[in-house]
Each structure stands twice: as structure tokens, then as C-alpha cells.
Amino acid sequence: MEKGAVSGVEPGTGLTELLPQGGDRLRRAAEFVAVPAFALLVAAALFSAVLLGMGQSPLAFFELLWRGAFGSAFSWQNTLQRAAPLILTALCVALPARAGLMVIGGEGAFVVGGLAAAIAPLPFLGLAPAPVLLALMAAAGMLAGALWIGLVGVLRHRRGVNETISSLLLTYIAVAVLSFLVEGPLRDPATPNKPSTHPIGADVMLAPIPGTSVHWGLVAGIVACVLAHLLINRTSTGFAIRIAGGNPRTALGQGLPVGKLIVLCCLLAGGAAGLAGFFDVATVHGAANVSLVAGYGFTGILVSFLARHNALAIPPVAILFGGIGAAGGLIQRRLGLPDATVALLEGVIFVTLLTSETLYGRFALFQPRAARPRP
């Protein structure tokens, strides 16, 4: 055998020919990074034009955006604090998306999860230790969120109801239920100005990560993303989910339980958003009130889309949008811009991101290379 030759492989064969699948994967991965990055640049350019039309300096705006999001240790902690619920609500979109569903009701699951978490420990205050109460709250929040989005899956499976419409309508129902309960049967008389449920008490509140002001929801969100990635990409159930999402007819033809997979994805998705609601109550508010309707579920839609519903890509994207939200107050004070400025920026990003979907597969640079013909 010639020196340097590999058994069964002719000398001079390149690495790309030896590992064509690896090279193709790298090109596809590069495309999944390049296209969203281009969309962000276009969004920045469009928003800069808006700022110029308002008589503001784009350079000053983005400098303040960076400073308020990542310019100091305090900014970083504020950013991570805001990113924590975005990670979990983004999973509420990403998991059903792998099964071919477009669920946008994470806000509703977040609200009912927070409401359930705030109510569950009240009968046991003073009777059970704080760790037990926190576990009860987490379980109640996850269960409520899972059932809320699980209903979306059941309606899709049993009745063919469009999941986008049903999940959006259930969000408005969740907000209405929250308002009714905190202003009526569950209202604490000691909250005349801001109706809320009875507080869970400082002893039950979950302490932040030691040495920081960031709550444990960030860690829970990252762990949930890793588990979701393993489920989708390393298990037979995840393989079945991907087949069902790619071609439901083929999945049915192969005997896969498509309906059960749809419901399973919705249950897991709702549980993630409900867990985010629990952390919001247990670490920030200490009770359920209208502050739960903070828009985390809607921003989570944008996070999931920018991450292309990839669970491992969700945390860094959530940190990006957490930073945008964290810098909003600084931008408003320094430039005198309205509150809606940050929301406008997020909207521009969303539109450009959706438009960029048409770019996939259009550049030869990212396409798989043709196999070298054998002599």
C-alpha cells in the first residue's frame, strides 16, 4: 500500500470527498447563521432610516443600546434577567414547530402558569416548608401551562382547528381570566391600587443565583433547551416528531401516531411557558397581577424564529432580545424616545426575519457540492 493511503480509498482523495456529509453540514450551518445575520443588518439599516426621519442619530441609539444591554455588570444582569423568561416562552414556539405547528400562545400559558403558581401555595402557607411550597408552585405552573397549550394540540388533532388561531385566542382568554380572578374572587383587599392575589410571602420567594440579581429561571431555561435538543435529535420520539413535522402524510403512512405527537409537543411547550410564569411569580412579583402580562410570550415568538426553532440557539438569541429590552429605559431617558421605540425595533427585526426565509437555498456557496465522479 502506498504511504499515506487509506485502505479502500485512492491516494489524493480530499477531505471533502472523504466526508461529504460533514462538508454539507458545515455549509448548511453557515447558511443558518449568515441569513439571520443579514436580516439583522437589514433591520438595523431600516431602523436607522426611521431614526433619521425622527431627527435622531442612529449611532447614538445603537451606542446606548449596547451600553444598556452589555456595557456593565449591572447591564448584563438586567439582560440575563429579562432573557430567562424569553428562553422558556421561545421553547413554547420551537417545540410545536418541529412537529409542523405554529403555536403563538406562549403568552397565555405564561399567564395561567403564573396564576396557578401564585394560587397553589396559599392554603399551605405556614404549614409546609418553603422548598415544598416552591416545588408545588413549579408543578402547578407547569401543569397549568401544559394543559393550556395541550388544549391547542387536542383541538388540532381532534377537530382540525388551526393552532395559530386557537392559541392566540386562548391567550386573550387567559388574560381575561387573570383579570377576573385578581379583581374579583382572589383579590387581596390590601391591594386597592393594583389588584393582586394574596402574596406568597418573602419566606417563599426564590432567592437569586448567588452573587447576582439573576433568578434561577435562566438556568432552568438553558437546561430545558438542552433537554429539548436531546429529545428532538437523540431519541426515537424526536425522530418521529421531525418526520411528522416534515411530511405528515408520510408519517401517517409509516404508522406514526401523528396526533399523539402533536399533543405531546404542545404539552411540553405549554409546560415550558408555565414554568416561566412560575419563576416570574416566585422571584419578581410574589403574587399574580396584571404585571404577568408583560409580553414575554410574544417576544418569545421572535426569539424562536430567529433561532430557527433550534433549541440550542434559543439562549443566545434570547440574551440578544433581553438586552434590547434592558436598554429601553436608558434609550428613553437619554434620547427622549417613546416607550414603543424598542417594540418598533423588534417588529422591524421580525418582518425582515420572515422576509429572509425566502433567501434559503438561493446561494450556491451554501449548497451541497456535487460528488466527484469516480474514474
Side-chain angles (χ1 to χ4, degrees), residues 39-100:
L40 289 177
L41 290 175
V42 172
L46 293 174
F47 193 74
S48 296
V50 173
L51 290 173
L52 290 173
M54 299 170 61
Q56 298 287 347
S57 168
L59 291 178
F61 176 88
F62 288 110
E63 190 273 333
L64 289 173
L65 181 64
W66 174 262
R67 188 191 307 175
F70 311 110
S72 65
F74 174 80
S75 299
W76 264 105
Q77 293 184 67
N78 194 9
T79 293
L80 294 176
Q81 180 87 347
R82 292 171 179 268
L86 295 180
I87 295 173
L88 291 167
T89 55
L91 276 179
C92 190
V93 180
L95 284 171
R98 303 309 296 266

Side-chain angles (χ1 to χ4, degrees), residues 32 36 89-104 225 228-229 232-233 241-242 300-315 317 350 353-354 357 360:
F32 292 151
T89 55
L91 276 179
C92 190
V93 180
L95 284 171
R98 303 309 296 266
L101 304 179
M102 187 44 57
V103 174
I104 60 173
C225 286
H229 173 77
I232 296 298
N233 296 283
I241 289 172
R242 285 184 283 134
I301 300 171
L302 178 54
V303 172
S304 181
F305 267 87
L306 189 56
R308 292 193 60 80
H309 312 307
N310 183 329
L312 294 184
I314 284 176
V317 176
F350 192 45
L353 180 65
L354 290 178
E357 291 288 320
Y360 287 97

Side-chain angles (χ1 to χ4, degrees), residues 3-363:
K3 184 178 179 180
V6 181
S7 178
V9 180
E10 297 182 6
T13 301
L15 179 61
T16 304
E17 286 73 16
L18 282 174
L19 300 173
Q21 292 183 347
D24 292 348
R25 288 175 181 173
L26 287 176
R27 279 185 285 274
R28 285 195 295 268
E31 184 180 31
F32 292 151
V33 173
V35 173
F38 176 72
L40 289 177
L41 290 175
V42 172
L46 293 174
F47 193 74
S48 296
V50 173
L51 290 173
L52 290 173
M54 299 170 61
Q56 298 287 347
S57 168
L59 291 178
F61 176 88
F62 288 110
E63 190 273 333
L64 289 173
L65 181 64
W66 174 262
R67 188 191 307 175
F70 311 110
S72 65
F74 174 80
S75 299
W76 264 105
Q77 293 184 67
N78 194 9
T79 293
L80 294 176
Q81 180 87 347
R82 292 171 179 268
L86 295 180
I87 295 173
L88 291 167
T89 55
L91 276 179
C92 190
V93 180
L95 284 171
R98 303 309 296 266
L101 304 179
M102 187 44 57
V103 174
I104 60 173
E107 183 78 0
F110 180 90
V111 168
V112 298
L115 179 62
I119 296 173
L122 295 181
F124 308 102
L125 292 178
L127 303 177
V132 174
L133 295 178
L134 286 170
L136 175 63
M137 292 172 63
M142 293 177 66
L143 179 61
L147 294 177
W148 201 256
I149 302 299
L151 178 59
V152 174
V154 172
L155 290 173
R156 169 64 186 269
H157 171 46
R158 295 291 185 183
R159 299 299 178 189
V161 178
N162 182 277
E163 71 279 357
T164 305
I165 296 175
S166 62
S167 60
L168 181 60
L169 292 178
L170 281 173
T171 294
Y172 291 109
I173 293 174
V175 174
V177 169
L178 172 71
S179 299
F180 170 74
L181 292 178
V182 300
E183 294 180 11
L186 300 180
R187 181 172 181 173
D188 179 10
T191 57
N193 298 323
K194 187 176 184 179
S196 304
T197 60
H198 290 269
I200 62 176
D203 294 338
V204 185
M205 295 286 286
L206 187 62
I209 298 173
T212 73
S213 61
V214 183
H215 62 68
W216 287 97
L218 178 68
V219 176
I222 294 174
V223 171
C225 286
V226 173
L227 293 177
H229 173 77
L230 294 176
L231 170 67
I232 296 298
N233 296 283
R234 295 290 186 267
T235 67
S236 57
T237 300
F239 181 67
I241 289 172
R242 285 184 283 134
I243 293 178
N247 194 325
R249 292 181 181 271
T250 300
L252 288 171
Q254 295 297 320
L256 294 177
V258 175
K260 292 182 179 179
L261 293 173
I262 287 174
V263 175
L264 173 64
C265 285
C266 288
L267 288 171
L268 294 175
L275 182 62
F278 152 72
F279 279 110
D280 206 46
V281 168
T283 63
V284 180
H285 303 299
N289 50 51
V290 293
S291 295
L292 283 173
V293 190
Y296 288 125
F298 293 118
T299 306
I301 300 171
L302 178 54
V303 172
S304 181
F305 267 87
L306 189 56
R308 292 193 60 80
H309 312 307
N310 183 329
L312 294 184
I314 284 176
V317 176
I319 291 173
L320 171 64
F321 281 92
I324 293 175
L330 179 63
I331 291 171
Q332 182 182 4
R333 292 192 302 271
R334 295 293 181 86
L335 298 182
L337 293 172
D339 294 341
T341 304
V342 170
L344 176 60
L345 174 59
E346 292 179 349
V348 172
I349 293 175
F350 192 45
V351 171
T352 55
L353 180 65
L354 290 178
T355 305
S356 71
E357 291 288 320
T358 61
L359 300 178
Y360 287 97
R362 291 182 177 269
F363 300 98

